[in-house]
Amino acid sequence: SQTIHQWPATLVQPVGSPLSLECTVEGTSNPNLYWYRQAAGRGLQLLFYSVGIGQISSEVPQNLSASRPQDRQFILSSKKLLLSDSGFYLCAWSVKGAGYNQPQHFGDGTRLSIL
Amino acid sequence: AQSVAQPEDQVNVAEGNPLTVKCTYSVSGNPYLFWYVQYPNRGLQFLLKYITGDNLVKGSYGFEAEFNKSQTSFHLKKPSALVSDSALYFCAVRDRSGGSYIPTFGRGTSLIVHP
């Protein structure tokens, strides 16, 4: 069966520090991968998505970046965190093909607090 | 363009009573529709989806949803609510003819089931 792992589960970082959040998927190959941010336990904001290694699309201009160095690894990074980067970050994957009618499968998230 | 609306921020229901969480959508073609549930400090979990065929879709944990094309709705229902159903529920839509595989999520509805 497929699983998705995100770490760390919680993170407290000072303003201006760098960030690296990692997400890996097991049990499937060539998935679509996504990074979302959820503020105040409500709506999801799509940050980045990827259809393959090295292919990243950005939805929202900001000081965050994403990379996909391996087929099932997706990394969210920042060189200098802002207070507004606080939130709950969720990684997700979905199967390709089939008319894109497949659901997304989410990790358990990283709660990021910026001090 | 695709959009989805969850008109209620919060739904309160007594345990044992039927529950309904509302969702309406807008797409240029035909929709793929999804429901997800999120428990505190967890990722979203897929509940059910509508692709085509029978308008009544059954999913996990006794939930079902009814697709109504004329009303552009996909309301989530359960005949008898449990306290453990208390969570945040998200509806999502993807336009089948839109070419984008990125779904649009609603803002979420908080379901509170009272003992």
Side-chain angles (χ1 to χ4, degrees):
Chain A
S1 64
Q2 301 92 355
T3 56
I4 178 169
H5 302 280
Q6 274 189 257
W7 66 92
T10 59
L11 189 60
V12 180
Q13 293 283 97
V15 170
S17 64
L19 173 74
S20 181
L21 301 181
E22 190 161 342
C23 171
T24 59
V25 180
E26 296 178 357
T28 189
S29 60
N30 196 26
N32 292 325
L33 295 172
Y34 313 80
W35 277 112
Y36 288 90
R37 179 168 57 202
Q38 185 178 29
R42 264 305 194 227
L44 300 176
Q45 179 186 32
L46 178 65
L47 302 175
F48 301 95
Y49 63 93
S50 171
V51 299
I53 296 174
Q55 301 179 63
I56 309 294
S57 297
S58 174
E59 287 293 300
V60 182
Q62 58 211 329
N63 69 321
L64 298 173
S65 62
S67 62
R68 184 171 178 174
Q70 301 181 46
D71 180 45
R72 291 168 292 174
Q73 184 184 30
F74 206 22
I75 297 172
L76 183 69
S77 304
S78 174
K79 292 181 180 178
K80 282 188 175 183
L81 285 167
L82 307 173
L83 284 173
S84 58
D85 290 323
S86 292
F88 191 47
Y89 288 82
L90 290 162
C91 180
W93 70 274
S94 67
V95 173
K96 279 201 184 63
Y100 299 111
N101 62 12
Q102 297 301 307
Q104 292 171 298
H105 304 278
F106 288 78
D108 275 338
T110 295
R111 187 161 303 281
L112 176 63
S113 299
I114 310 299
L115 303 179
Chain B
Q2 60 191 30
S3 65
V4 61
Q6 294 182 242
E8 302 153 316
D9 279 347
Q10 185 172 303
V11 170
N12 291 277
V13 64
E15 188 174 30
N17 283 1
L19 70 88
T20 299
V21 182
K22 295 180 180 177
C23 171
T24 58
Y25 67 90
S26 176
V27 294
S28 56
N30 291 309
Y32 296 134
L33 292 156
F34 307 84
W35 275 104
Y36 296 83
V37 60
Q38 185 181 30
Y39 298 100
N41 298 311
R42 301 295 300 274
L44 279 68
Q45 296 178 36
F46 168 67
L47 280 178
L48 51 81
K49 67 179 179 181
Y50 171 80
I51 298 175
T52 188
D54 194 347
N55 289 344
L56 185 63
V57 179
K58 295 188 182 296
S60 306
Y61 312 121
F63 284 94
E64 59 189 27
E66 186 167 10
F67 172 65
N68 189 317
K69 187 171 184 177
S70 63
Q71 296 185 8
T72 61
S73 67
F74 190 55
H75 301 330
L76 182 70
K77 300 181 180 183
K78 188 174 182 181
S80 178
L82 300 172
V83 172
S84 57
D85 292 330
S86 299
L88 191 57
Y89 290 80
F90 290 94
C91 182
V93 67
R94 183 179 291 147
D95 191 336
R96 196 183 303 183
S97 58
S100 170
Y101 52 84
I102 306 297
T104 297
F105 283 83
R107 283 186 45 79
T109 298
S110 178
L111 173 67
I112 299 175
V113 181
H114 302 277

